[in-house]
Amino acid sequence: MEITILGIESSCDDTSAAVIRNTCLLSNVIANQDVHKKWGGVVPELASRAHQQNIVPVVDKALKDAGVTVDDIDGIAFTRGPGLLGSLLVGVSFAKGLSLARNIPLIECNHLLGHILAHFLDEEGKELKHPAFPFLCLLVSGGHTQIVYVKDYLDMEVVGQTIDDAAGEAFDKCAKVMGLPYPGGPVIDKLAQEGNPKKFKFAKPSVPDYDYSFSGLKTSFLYFLRDEVAENKNFIEENKVDLCASLQSTIIDILMTKLVKAAKATGIKEVAVAGGVSANSGLRKALKEEGERRGWNVYLPQFRFTTDNAAMIAISGYYKYLRNDFVSLDVSPTSRVTEMW
């Protein structure tokens, strides 16, 4: 039986719609919001307004690109949370309206779970390589850093997570201190490839079990720059590539240390990475090298599935559709991840 799912994602600053048939991706349309670059970060009110402008044309294009009509859709999957409440409200409201108008079942989806399930998307004409259960997934983004024990498509357990800042936040905030444009992660990654990762040393946290912390790193980086700039006002410009390389190396080392610890404790050899920071070239290289050293089967997402996108929401909706896991029209968005796992 063929099941066609429309996915809608609006958790932050990208408006996205996608269509899948079973696990095969038919279309994935994303409208980015450049307005936030001016402010050095996402402005929630501006994001909400942009979603309102983008949602209709984005969904329309996704349907046309997929070669389907609304009448072909079996279920509407939407991001209920976590995310910015105003942004989520736009996507949830649109999904509810379309559901009511066409009598199509509604499927609520966890944005973070979607990042993980993106590993199970296929493309027309070919099936991609997917992780075997159980597997560990390092989920790293601008707002979340977690190690997730994945037992099945919809059966997951968070075994470690950040107790303060996420890895993506550390990249962005440190980039801002150096005067780099937003988002800072990709800029740091590009500059880091030219620098010496051993030039500077920054603080690494001491956090028990598999949890993460990046606030100490961020603070030590800030104070280090303050002291150095006090001595030489051109310090950042003269050492930019080495600063980026050393910072990125430190963040990756923090991420990999806990992931290795979790893999050893569970004995799991299937290891995946997901989320926006999974596009980082240094992290992808570290995972490949660690996998070769430890005999892991490593799964890296395609770059187009690392950022927020509706394809990952659609695939989440597909597996929930198979279980008849639908929601009523009184569903409301939530900004908190604890309400979604």
Side-chain angles (χ1 to χ4, degrees):
M1 180 178 71
E2 290 190 338
I3 298 169
T4 304
I5 302 292
L6 169 65
I8 296 172
E9 155 62 22
S10 67
S11 63
C12 191
D13 61 335
D14 290 332
T15 312
S16 182
V19 178
I20 64 170
R21 181 165 292 134
N22 293 342
T23 61
C24 181
L25 181 64
L26 302 183
S27 67
N28 189 31
V29 179
I30 303 174
N32 303 116
Q33 300 178 6
D34 291 334
V35 65
H36 306 287
K37 292 181 179 178
K38 175 182 177 182
W39 308 102
V42 177
V43 181
E45 178 62 25
L46 295 179
S48 301
R49 293 179 184 180
H51 283 304
Q52 289 178 311
Q53 295 173 341
N54 294 333
I55 187 71
V56 172
V58 163
V59 171
D60 182 61
K61 182 168 175 35
L63 292 172
K64 288 178 178 177
D65 287 355
V68 303
T69 68
V70 175
D71 294 330
D72 298 316
I73 301 300
D74 297 301
I76 303 170
F78 63 92
T79 303
R80 183 186 167 214
L84 300 175
L85 203 54
S87 294
L88 290 166
L89 188 59
V90 176
V92 173
S93 298
F94 181 88
K96 289 163 71 173
L98 186 57
S99 170
L100 181 62
R102 295 303 185 100
N103 194 30
I104 305 173
L106 275 175
I107 310 165
E108 67 169 26
C109 295
N110 180 333
H111 174 83
L112 301 181
L113 182 145
H115 273 301
I116 297 171
L117 292 184
H119 281 284
F120 295 95
L121 284 162
D122 291 312
E123 295 180 342
E124 252 185 315
K126 60 180 178 180
E127 289 188 3
L128 304 179
K129 183 181 177 183
H130 307 310
F133 298 113
F135 67 92
L136 288 178
C137 186
L138 174 63
L139 178 57
V140 275
S141 67
H144 302 89
T145 300
Q146 300 175 330
I147 298 176
V148 183
Y149 177 50
V150 185
K151 306 169 190 176
D152 201 352
Y153 299 110
L154 300 174
D155 185 5
M156 306 182 189
E157 178 186 356
V158 178
V159 297
Q161 59 189 332
T162 181
I163 61 174
D164 42 58
D165 287 351
E169 286 179 286
F171 275 120
D172 288 340
K173 291 177 179 178
C174 291
K176 190 171 184 178
V177 172
M178 288 188 285
L180 300 178
Y182 174 87
V187 180
I188 288 177
D189 186 21
K190 183 178 180 180
L191 292 173
Q193 296 176 42
E194 306 171 23
N196 176 8
K198 298 181 180 180
K199 178 71 175 291
F200 304 106
K201 292 187 179 297
F202 304 114
K204 295 180 182 178
S206 178
V207 181
D209 301 322
Y210 312 120
D211 287 337
Y212 289 104
S213 171
F214 290 97
S215 64
L217 167 62
K218 180 191 66 179
T219 302
S220 71
F221 187 80
L222 175 64
Y223 283 125
F224 171 79
L225 288 187
R226 184 197 64 181
D227 294 341
E228 293 295 335
V229 170
E231 296 291 327
N232 174 14
K233 65 178 182 179
N234 297 319
F235 176 80
I236 294 177
E237 190 60 37
E238 293 173 357
N239 295 276
K240 190 173 293 182
V241 294
D242 291 334
L243 284 168
C244 288
S246 299
L247 174 66
Q248 178 160 291
S249 175
T250 303
I251 292 175
I252 291 171
D253 187 51
I254 293 170
L255 290 169
M256 292 303 302
T257 297
K258 291 301 181 79
L259 181 61
V260 168
K261 184 177 180 180
K264 283 183 176 179
T266 59
I268 291 177
K269 299 290 186 180
E270 300 280 306
V271 179
V273 62
V277 181
S278 66
N280 182 278
S281 64
L283 178 58
R284 294 171 83 93
K285 180 182 177 183
L287 275 162
K288 288 179 181 178
E289 292 176 348
E290 202 67 57
E292 292 174 358
R293 186 158 48 245
R294 300 183 180 278
W296 294 350
N297 293 318
V298 173
Y299 301 87
L300 304 174
Q302 295 183 40
F303 286 108
R304 61 182 174 145
F305 298 140
T306 58
T307 55
D308 295 345
N309 66 89
M312 68 185 196
I313 302 305
I315 192 70
S316 301
Y318 169 73
Y319 288 114
K320 298 190 84 170
Y321 186 98
L322 294 178
R323 300 188 183 188
N324 295 314
D325 189 356
F326 307 122
V327 293
S328 64
L329 288 169
D330 62 0
V331 66
S332 59
T334 175
S335 61
R336 297 183 179 277
V337 67
T338 52
E339 297 178 30
M340 292 294 296
W341 280 110

